[in-house]
Amino acid sequence: MMLPKAPKDRMVKILQQHAKIVLDSGGNYRGVENHGIRPLPERTRRTFAVVDGPRYFWEARYLTATFDASPAALVEIGRMFRNEENVLRAFTIKRKSTVFQSSGGNYKNPYFNL
């Protein structure tokens, strides 16, 4: 989540830094989706104290970046987002793939009765 009034050139620079970290670590950058400015479920406070601009926000710009990266790259990405003043919150979610489901876990293949 980014500030709703974040400058577009700064948003692009943040995403370019993000992509550079992923690609330099040998990962794949699959894409970015901009979901626009949406209301937040509750008031969110900006991480950094500022002289100008609001400290609390009721809305934010939502972005989704899809990529494959190493754990070391995820640590570096988290560090970059924590130090960026235009980012309100950043979440990392690991998605399960269909290969994971078919290779084990709790997945039961309906075509085999073992």
Side-chain angles (χ1 to χ4, degrees), residues 26-64:
N28 293 326
Y29 203 78
R30 303 201 182 274
V32 176
E33 267 186 84
N34 183 359
H35 300 285
I37 298 174
R38 306 184 75 194
L40 296 169
E42 59 185 22
R43 182 179 76 164
T44 300
R45 184 171 56 98
R46 185 185 274 192
T47 306
F48 296 97
V50 293
V51 177
D52 58 337
R55 174 96 168 135
Y56 297 98
F57 293 92
W58 286 99
E59 57 186 20
R61 179 174 304 278
Y62 283 80
L63 298 169
T64 302

Side-chain angles (χ1 to χ4, degrees), residues 5-41:
K5 303 293 182 186
K8 297 220 187 276
D9 59 337
R10 187 64 196 143
M11 286 177 22
V12 169
K13 185 165 271 207
I14 291 169
L15 292 173
Q16 286 174 343
Q17 289 173 348
H18 181 261
K20 184 177 183 327
I21 292 170
V22 171
L23 295 175
D24 287 348
S25 70
N28 293 326
Y29 203 78
R30 303 201 182 274
V32 176
E33 267 186 84
N34 183 359
H35 300 285
I37 298 174
R38 306 184 75 194
L40 296 169

